[in-house]
């Protein structure tokens, strides 16, 4: 086929197809030839100099056509875009993402409740409450579905008990049917809120946890001179101090389904207007939602590069002494004015002194578990509590405490694969 025939074929194809391609585009790095309809014809085909034009996401595209009748789409040059329309020098003033609606009917179907039940029973199938629900599973799920559909569902009173780890805590355990509902809600809201969290908030998130939080903390400590400072803060009686009115407002920033938000708030009630119950599955993500504004304030307003939080414990790393003192006062006011919270303990110390965080005592070159964990390990070995030993071994994995644990086991002559 000669070049003439090829040209005729190309022409015919162009006439048969409604070509919606970019036919024009300027040279974006030269102001004199920039613009919506400027052709970049200043180089030969063999020239490897590629000029790439950016296309903005705000301006409306224009439809253009050339004398062949083919149509193309073009956008303004970067120099023509009013950037103030979508950029802000203050990150806190940027517009929020679109709110999610219609969650109630989407979440509470029989299929979703059955899936939530399967998740809720993991590790609990031998417990009486799980067995009682499971023995008449179909009817129990149908009753739950009907109550939710009719808007008459209410969680049953919690079963309370105390734990000492190491300080006293009152645990509010939900009934199994309520745990099923919580899992259904959790599955629906996790992604909605998780994508708004900063990377280095580590509590109760997929791929995060105490080990990751500790690893990141040590990694950041190694970036700075040991003479610089860390600022460690935590909130006084955090779960018992969460203002439920403020928490609801944070829900409503992301979710516009009132029925769904009302049900989310049913699992925050524990008498009075302040506090949420420890022991609820949903309380874990609620606690992260509540502190999310603090995380963004530290990163955006205070502009702290090395920052990490786990529930209500948060650390700022690599500060001067003056910065540490100033940030402590600023954050004390912030959590009081915005979240109605108070600081409990705070520590300003040189990095070379180490950081006590998420169950580990951490320095640049080494890391140990806390003394309380070491005491619990000794006790578990003496009583031959294998489950506790395995759990404490997992906690100490990768730390300089492991040789110490191994020696204790050898002295007690326990036969355990390490």
């Amino acid at each position: 086929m000669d070049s003439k025939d090829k040209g005729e074929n190309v022409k015919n194809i162009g006439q048969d197809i409604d070509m919606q391609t970019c036919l024009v585009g300027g040279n974006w790095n030269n102001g004199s030839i920039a613009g919506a309809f400027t052709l970049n014809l200043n180089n030969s085909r063999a020239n490897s100099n590629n000029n790439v034009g950016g296309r903005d996401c705000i301006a409306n595209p224009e439809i253009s056509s050339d004398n062949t009748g083919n149509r193309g789409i073009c956008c303004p040059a970067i120099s023509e875009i009013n950037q103030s329309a979508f950029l802000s020098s203050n990150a806190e003033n940027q517009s929020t993402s679109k709110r999610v609606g219609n969650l109630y009917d989407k979440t509470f179907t029989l299929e979703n409740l059955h899936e939530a039940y399967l998740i809720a029973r993991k590790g609990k199938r031998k417990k009486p409450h799980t067995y009682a629900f499971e023995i008449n599973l179909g009817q129990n799920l149908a009753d739950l579905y009907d109550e939710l559909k009719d808007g008459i569902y209410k969680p049953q009173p919690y079963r309370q008990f105390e734990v000492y780890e190491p300080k006293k805590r009152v645990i509010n355990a939900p009934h199994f049917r309520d745990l099923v509902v919580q899992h259904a809600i959790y599955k629906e809201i996790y992604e909605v809120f998780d994508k708004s969290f900063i990377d280095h908030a580590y509590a109760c998130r997929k791929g995060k946890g105490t080990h990751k939080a500790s690893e990141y903390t040590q990694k950041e400590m190694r970036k700075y001179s040991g003479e610089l400072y860390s600022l460690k803060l935590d909130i006084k009686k955090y779960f018992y101090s969460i203002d439920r009115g403020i928490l609801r407002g944070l829900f409503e920033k992301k979710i516009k389904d009132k029925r769904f938000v009302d049900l989310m708030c049913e699992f925050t009630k524990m008498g009075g207007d302040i506090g949420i119950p420890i022991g609820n599955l949903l309380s874990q993500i609620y606690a992260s939602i509540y502190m999310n504004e603090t995380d963004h304030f530290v990163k955006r307003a205070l502009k702290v590069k090395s920052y990490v939080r786990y529930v209500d414990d948060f650390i700022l790393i690599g500060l001067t002494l003056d910065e540490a003192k100033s940030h402590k006062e600023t954050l004390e006011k912030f959590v009081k004015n915005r979240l109605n919270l108070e600081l409990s303990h705070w520590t300003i110390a040189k990095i070379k002194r180490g950081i006590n965080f998420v169950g580990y005592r951490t320095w640049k070159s080494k890391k140990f578990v806390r003394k309380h964990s070491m005491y619990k390990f000794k006790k578990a070995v003496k009583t031959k509590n294998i489950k506790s030993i395995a759990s404490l071994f997992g906690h100490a994995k990768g730390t300089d405490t492991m040789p110490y644990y191994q020696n204790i086991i050898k002295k007690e002559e326990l036969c355990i694969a390490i």
Side-chain angles (χ1 to χ4, degrees):
M1 183 182 292
D2 58 26
S3 59
K4 182 178 179 181
D5 292 334
K6 290 180 181 178
E8 289 296 325
N9 286 339
V10 171
K11 183 178 180 181
N12 291 336
I13 292 171
Q15 290 173 345
D16 293 338
I17 300 174
D18 187 13
M19 299 177 70
Q20 300 266 346
T21 57
C22 290
L23 300 176
V24 293
N27 186 329
W28 300 84
N29 57 359
N30 293 320
S32 61
I33 55 172
F37 299 99
T38 304
L39 291 173
N40 180 17
L41 301 175
N42 60 332
N43 293 320
S44 66
R45 288 182 299 174
N47 194 306
S48 62
N49 179 19
N50 295 317
N51 295 289
V52 180
R55 295 294 187 262
D56 79 297
C57 61
I58 302 298
N60 292 324
E62 299 176 12
I63 304 297
S64 67
S65 62
D66 59 13
N67 56 12
T68 67
N70 293 329
R71 290 180 295 161
I73 299 174
C74 60
C75 292
I78 296 298
S79 59
E80 297 173 333
I81 298 172
N82 178 14
Q83 297 186 21
S84 64
F86 61 96
L87 294 178
S88 171
S89 59
N90 184 353
E92 288 187 310
N93 293 331
Q94 292 185 15
S95 61
T96 57
S97 59
K98 188 176 179 181
R99 295 163 72 209
V100 181
N102 302 318
L103 288 183
Y104 195 94
D105 292 331
K106 176 185 175 184
T107 301
F108 301 117
T109 64
L110 277 172
E111 292 80 5
N112 286 344
L113 289 173
H114 183 259
E115 184 180 347
Y117 149 75
L118 294 175
I119 298 171
R121 78 176 187 180
K122 288 181 179 178
K124 301 181 180 71
R125 295 196 71 177
K126 294 182 180 179
K127 293 189 175 183
H129 293 278
T130 308
Y131 180 75
F133 189 88
E134 192 170 34
I135 200 170
N136 195 13
L137 178 60
Q139 188 61 54
N140 285 327
L141 286 177
D143 290 345
L144 204 51
Y145 170 76
D146 288 340
E147 290 177 28
L148 288 161
K149 184 179 179 181
D150 295 339
I152 61 173
Y153 167 82
K154 294 289 182 183
Q156 296 180 5
Y158 295 104
R159 293 175 286 108
Q160 292 188 334
F161 58 92
E162 296 177 351
V163 297
Y164 296 84
E165 294 182 355
K167 56 187 177 182
K168 177 182 174 182
R169 296 179 186 273
V170 177
I171 303 300
N172 293 272
H175 284 261
F176 185 79
R177 75 192 309 264
D178 299 324
L179 185 59
V180 171
V181 177
Q182 288 194 48
H183 273 286
I185 295 172
Y186 188 90
K187 181 177 181 293
E188 200 60 49
I189 68 171
Y190 180 85
E191 293 297 335
V192 172
F193 288 98
D194 187 74
K195 63 186 178 183
S196 71
F197 297 158
I198 67 168
D199 286 343
H200 303 299
Y202 283 91
C204 307
R205 297 175 69 191
K206 297 173 185 176
K208 305 290 185 179
T210 55
H211 283 282
K212 294 288 186 180
S214 178
E215 289 170 9
Y216 175 75
T217 301
Q218 189 173 51
K219 174 186 171 184
E220 295 305 296
M221 291 173 70
R222 289 169 175 166
K223 291 181 179 180
Y224 303 100
S225 164
E227 296 299 319
L228 287 176
Y229 289 80
S230 66
L231 169 62
K232 181 176 181 292
L233 309 125
D234 67 73
I235 303 297
K236 182 178 181 180
K237 296 182 178 179
Y238 179 51
F239 282 85
Y240 302 127
S241 301
I242 290 177
D243 188 311
R244 297 204 291 273
I246 295 174
L247 182 61
R248 184 185 178 102
L250 296 174
F251 294 160
E252 291 173 340
K253 283 185 177 181
K254 294 287 184 181
I255 299 172
K256 60 181 178 182
D257 188 327
K258 183 179 182 300
R259 282 198 303 165
F260 195 83
V261 172
D262 287 344
L263 186 53
M264 288 176 67
C265 292
E266 284 293 325
F267 294 102
T268 66
K269 295 178 180 178
M270 56 175 293
D273 298 324
I274 304 295
I276 64 175
I278 298 175
N280 264 345
L281 168 72
L282 288 174
S283 291
Q284 300 172 15
I285 191 169
Y286 291 176
S288 293
I289 293 168
Y290 203 75
M291 287 296 290
N292 188 40
E293 284 194 0
T294 305
D295 296 339
H296 286 277
F297 179 76
V298 172
K299 297 296 290 183
R300 298 183 180 200
L302 300 185
K303 300 188 184 302
V304 175
K305 291 183 178 180
S306 297
Y307 170 78
V308 55
R309 179 178 63 81
Y310 192 89
V311 191
D312 63 318
D313 292 339
F314 46 115
I315 300 177
L316 293 68
I317 304 170
L319 310 175
T320 65
L321 182 58
D322 288 341
E323 286 174 335
K325 291 178 179 178
S326 174
H327 291 346
K328 182 261 175 183
E329 292 179 3
T330 301
L331 285 168
E332 191 169 27
K333 292 176 183 177
F334 180 87
V335 297
K336 180 62 179 176
N337 296 335
R338 294 290 289 270
L339 302 174
N340 197 23
L341 298 173
E342 295 182 12
L343 294 181
S344 175
H345 302 96
W346 57 271
T347 304
I348 295 175
K350 288 187 176 181
I351 292 174
K352 67 181 181 181
R353 289 183 55 188
I355 295 175
N356 194 340
F357 183 55
V358 292
Y360 300 96
R361 296 170 291 153
T362 305
W363 289 264
K364 284 187 176 186
S365 59
K366 58 184 64 178
K367 179 166 54 176
F368 298 92
V369 300
R370 286 176 177 167
K371 292 181 180 179
H372 178 71
S373 295
M374 297 170 75
Y375 166 78
K376 287 174 65 177
F377 185 81
K378 281 184 178 180
K379 184 178 179 180
V381 171
K382 286 183 179 180
T383 58
K384 296 181 173 54
N385 186 337
I386 302 302
K387 287 186 177 180
S388 183
I389 292 171
S391 175
L392 291 164
F393 253 126
H395 177 63
K397 184 180 179 181
T399 72
D400 295 277
T401 305
M402 285 298 286
Y404 174 76
Y405 279 3
Q406 291 167 350
N407 287 334
I408 293 175
I409 285 177
K410 287 177 182 177
K411 288 179 181 179
E412 294 294 330
E413 298 181 348
L414 280 179
C415 183
I416 297 176
I418 300 173

